[in-house]
Coordinates of all heavy atoms in Angstrom, one line a residue:
Y1539 N -46.4 69.5 70.3 CA -47.7 69.1 69.8 C -48.7 68.8 70.9 O -49.8 69.3 70.8 CB -47.5 67.9 68.8 CG -48.8 67.4 68.3 CD1 -49.5 68.1 67.3 CD2 -49.3 66.2 68.7 CE1 -50.7 67.6 66.8 CE2 -50.5 65.7 68.2 CZ -51.2 66.4 67.3 OH -52.3 65.9 66.8
R1540 N -48.2 68.1 71.9 CA -49.1 67.8 73.0 C -49.5 69.1 73.7 O -50.7 69.2 74.1 CB -48.5 66.8 73.9 CG -48.3 65.4 73.3 CD -47.9 64.4 74.4 NE -46.6 64.7 75.0 CZ -45.4 64.3 74.5 NH1 -45.4 63.5 73.5 NH2 -44.3 64.6 75.2
N1541 N -48.6 69.9 73.9 CA -48.9 71.2 74.6 C -49.9 72.1 73.8 O -50.8 72.7 74.4 CB -47.6 72.0 74.8 CG -47.9 73.3 75.6 OD1 -48.3 73.4 76.7 ND2 -47.6 74.4 74.9
A1542 N -49.7 72.1 72.5 CA -50.7 72.8 71.6 C -52.1 72.3 71.7 O -53.1 73.1 71.8 CB -50.2 72.8 70.2
Q1543 N -52.2 71.0 71.8 CA -53.5 70.4 72.0 C -54.2 70.8 73.4 O -55.4 71.1 73.4 CB -53.5 68.9 71.9 CG -53.2 68.4 70.5 CD -53.1 66.9 70.5 OE1 -52.5 66.2 71.3 NE2 -53.8 66.2 69.5
V1544 N -53.3 70.8 74.4 CA -53.9 71.2 75.7 C -54.3 72.6 75.7 O -55.3 73.0 76.3 CB -52.8 70.9 76.8 CG1 -53.2 71.5 78.2 CG2 -52.5 69.4 77.0
Q1545 N -53.5 73.5 75.1 CA -53.9 74.9 75.1 C -55.1 75.2 74.3 O -55.9 76.1 74.6 CB -52.7 75.7 74.5 CG -51.4 75.7 75.3 CD -51.6 76.2 76.7 OE1 -52.4 77.2 77.0 NE2 -51.0 75.6 77.7
Y1546 N -55.3 74.4 73.2 CA -56.5 74.6 72.4 C -57.8 74.2 73.3 O -58.8 74.9 73.3 CB -56.5 73.7 71.2 CG -57.7 73.7 70.4 CD1 -58.0 74.7 69.5 CD2 -58.7 72.7 70.5 CE1 -59.2 74.7 68.7 CE2 -59.8 72.7 69.8 CZ -60.1 73.7 68.9 OH -61.2 73.7 68.2
N1547 N -57.7 73.0 74.0 CA -58.8 72.6 74.8 C -59.1 73.6 76.0 O -60.2 73.9 76.3 CB -58.5 71.2 75.4 CG -58.5 70.2 74.3 OD1 -59.2 70.3 73.3 ND2 -57.7 69.1 74.5
L1548 N -58.0 74.1 76.5 CA -58.1 75.2 77.6 C -58.9 76.4 77.0 O -59.8 76.9 77.7 CB -56.8 75.5 78.1 CG -56.8 76.6 79.2 CD1 -57.6 76.1 80.4 CD2 -55.4 76.9 79.7
E1549 N -58.5 76.8 75.9 CA -59.2 78.0 75.3 C -60.6 77.8 74.9 O -61.5 78.6 75.1 CB -58.4 78.5 74.1 CG -58.9 79.7 73.4 CD -58.8 81.0 74.3 OE1 -57.9 81.0 75.2 OE2 -59.6 81.9 74.1
R1550 N -60.9 76.5 74.5 CA -62.2 76.2 74.2 C -63.2 76.1 75.4 O -64.3 76.5 75.3 CB -62.3 74.8 73.4 CG -63.6 74.4 72.9 CD -63.5 73.1 72.1 NE -62.9 72.0 72.8 CZ -63.5 71.2 73.6 NH1 -64.8 71.4 73.9 NH2 -62.8 70.3 74.3
V1551 N -62.6 75.5 76.5 CA -63.4 75.4 77.7 C -63.5 76.6 78.5 O -64.5 77.0 79.1 CB -62.9 74.2 78.5 CG1 -63.7 74.0 79.8 CG2 -63.1 72.9 77.7
N1552 N -62.3 77.3 78.7 CA -62.2 78.5 79.6 C -61.5 79.6 78.8 O -60.3 79.8 78.9 CB -61.4 78.1 80.8 CG -61.4 79.2 81.8 OD1 -62.1 80.2 81.7 ND2 -60.5 79.0 82.9
P1553 N -62.3 80.4 78.1 CA -61.7 81.5 77.3 C -61.0 82.5 78.2 O -61.4 82.8 79.3 CB -62.9 82.1 76.6 CG -64.0 81.1 76.6 CD -63.8 80.3 77.9
N1554 N -59.9 83.0 77.7 CA -59.1 84.1 78.4 C -58.8 83.7 79.8 O -59.0 84.5 80.8 CB -59.9 85.4 78.4 CG -59.0 86.6 78.7 OD1 -57.8 86.5 78.6 ND2 -59.6 87.7 79.2
S1555 N -58.4 82.5 80.0 CA -58.1 81.9 81.3 C -57.0 82.6 82.0 O -57.0 82.8 83.2 CB -57.8 80.4 81.2 OG -56.7 80.2 80.4
Q1556 N -56.0 83.0 81.3 CA -54.8 83.7 81.9 C -55.2 85.0 82.5 O -54.8 85.4 83.6 CB -53.7 83.8 80.9 CG -53.1 82.5 80.5 CD -51.9 82.7 79.5 OE1 -51.7 83.8 79.0 NE2 -51.2 81.6 79.2
G1557 N -56.0 85.8 81.8 CA -56.4 87.1 82.3 C -57.4 87.0 83.5 O -57.3 87.7 84.5
N1558 N -58.2 86.0 83.5 CA -59.1 85.7 84.6 C -58.3 85.4 85.9 O -58.7 85.7 87.0 CB -60.1 84.6 84.3 CG -61.1 85.1 83.2 OD1 -61.3 86.3 83.0 ND2 -61.7 84.1 82.5
Q1559 N -57.2 84.6 85.7 CA -56.4 84.2 86.9 C -55.7 85.4 87.5 O -55.6 85.5 88.7 CB -55.4 83.1 86.4 CG -56.1 81.8 86.1 CD -55.1 80.8 85.5 OE1 -53.9 81.1 85.4 NE2 -55.5 79.6 85.2
L1560 N -55.3 86.3 86.7 CA -54.6 87.5 87.2 C -55.5 88.4 88.1 O -55.0 88.9 89.1 CB -54.0 88.3 86.0 CG -52.9 87.6 85.2 CD1 -52.5 88.5 84.0 CD2 -51.7 87.3 86.2
L1561 N -56.7 88.6 87.8 CA -57.6 89.5 88.5 C -58.7 88.8 89.2 O -59.8 89.4 89.4 CB -58.2 90.6 87.5 CG -57.1 91.5 86.8 CD1 -57.8 92.4 85.8 CD2 -56.3 92.3 87.9
G1562 N -58.5 87.5 89.5 CA -59.6 86.8 90.3 C -60.9 86.7 89.6 O -61.9 86.6 90.2
G1563 N -60.9 86.6 88.3 CA -62.1 86.4 87.5 C -62.8 87.7 87.2 O -63.9 87.7 86.6
A1564 N -62.3 88.9 87.6 CA -62.9 90.2 87.3 C -63.1 90.5 85.9 O -64.2 90.9 85.5 CB -62.2 91.3 88.1
P1565 N -62.1 90.2 85.0 CA -62.3 90.5 83.6 C -63.5 89.8 83.0 O -64.2 90.3 82.2 CB -61.0 90.0 82.9 CG -60.0 90.2 84.1 CD -60.7 89.8 85.3
D1566 N -63.7 88.5 83.4 CA -64.8 87.8 82.9 C -66.1 88.4 83.3 O -67.1 88.4 82.6 CB -64.7 86.3 83.3 CG -65.8 85.4 82.6 OD1 -65.8 85.5 81.4 OD2 -66.4 84.8 83.4
L1567 N -66.1 88.9 84.7 CA -67.3 89.5 85.2 C -67.7 90.8 84.5 O -68.8 91.1 84.1 CB -67.2 89.7 86.7 CG -68.3 90.4 87.4 CD1 -69.6 89.5 87.3 CD2 -68.0 90.7 88.9
F1568 N -66.6 91.6 84.2 CA -66.8 92.8 83.5 C -67.3 92.6 82.1 O -68.2 93.4 81.6 CB -65.5 93.7 83.5 CG -65.1 94.1 84.8 CD1 -63.8 94.3 85.1 CD2 -66.0 94.4 85.8 CE1 -63.4 94.8 86.4 CE2 -65.6 94.8 87.1 CZ -64.3 95.0 87.4
S1569 N -66.8 91.6 81.4 CA -67.1 91.3 80.0 C -68.6 90.9 79.9 O -69.2 91.1 78.8 CB -66.2 90.3 79.4 OG -66.4 89.0 80.1
T1570 N -69.2 90.4 81.0 CA -70.6 90.1 80.9 C -71.4 91.3 80.6 O -72.5 91.2 79.9 CB -71.0 89.4 82.2 OG1 -70.2 88.3 82.5 CG2 -72.5 89.0 82.2
F1571 N -71.0 92.4 81.1 CA -71.8 93.7 80.9 C -71.2 94.5 79.7 O -72.0 95.1 79.0 CB -71.8 94.5 82.2 CG -72.4 93.8 83.4 CD1 -71.6 93.2 84.3 CD2 -73.8 93.7 83.5 CE1 -72.1 92.5 85.4 CE2 -74.3 93.0 84.6 CZ -73.5 92.5 85.6
S1572 N -69.9 94.4 79.6 CA -69.3 95.3 78.6 C -69.4 94.8 77.2 O -69.5 95.6 76.2 CB -67.8 95.6 78.9 OG -67.1 94.3 78.9
D1573 N -69.3 93.5 77.0 CA -69.3 92.9 75.6 C -70.6 93.2 74.9 O -70.6 93.6 73.7 CB -69.1 91.4 75.7 CG -67.6 91.1 76.0 OD1 -66.8 92.0 76.0 OD2 -67.3 89.9 76.4
P1574 N -71.8 93.1 75.6 CA -73.0 93.4 74.8 C -73.0 94.9 74.4 O -73.5 95.3 73.3 CB -74.1 93.1 75.8 CG -73.6 92.0 76.7 CD -72.1 92.4 76.8
M1575 N -72.6 95.8 75.3 CA -72.6 97.2 75.1 C -71.6 97.5 73.9 O -71.9 98.3 73.0 CB -72.1 98.0 76.3 CG -73.1 97.9 77.4 SD -74.7 98.6 77.0 CE -74.3 100.3 76.8
R1576 N -70.5 96.9 73.9 CA -69.5 97.1 72.7 C -70.1 96.6 71.4 O -69.9 97.2 70.4 CB -68.2 96.3 73.0 CG -67.4 96.9 74.2 CD -66.2 96.1 74.6 NE -65.4 95.9 73.4 CZ -64.9 94.7 73.0 NH1 -65.3 93.6 73.6 NH2 -64.1 94.7 72.0
S1577 N -70.8 95.5 71.5 CA -71.4 95.0 70.2 C -72.5 95.9 69.7 O -72.6 96.2 68.5 CB -72.0 93.6 70.5 OG -71.0 92.7 70.8
M1578 N -73.3 96.5 70.7 CA -74.4 97.4 70.3 C -73.8 98.7 69.7 O -74.4 99.3 68.8 CB -75.2 97.8 71.5 CG -76.1 96.6 72.0 SD -77.0 97.0 73.5 CE -78.0 98.3 72.8
M1579 N -72.6 99.1 70.2 CA -72.0 100.4 69.7 C -71.1 100.1 68.5 O -70.5 101.1 68.0 CB -71.2 101.0 70.9 CG -72.0 101.4 72.0 SD -71.0 102.0 73.4 CE -70.3 103.4 72.7

Side-chain angles (χ1 to χ4, degrees):
Y1539 176 72
R1540 292 192 297 269
N1541 180 63
Q1543 289 180 316
V1544 171
Q1545 296 302 322
Y1546 175 83
N1547 291 330
L1548 179 62
E1549 182 65 23
R1550 182 173 58 83
V1551 175
N1552 188 9
N1554 197 21
S1555 59
Q1556 294 181 351
N1558 292 339
Q1559 291 175 359
L1560 291 175
L1561 298 177
D1566 187 53
L1567 181 62
F1568 294 152
S1569 64
T1570 304
F1571 301 99
S1572 61
D1573 289 345
M1575 296 296 296
R1576 292 173 56 232
S1577 298
M1578 292 176 60
M1579 297 175 63

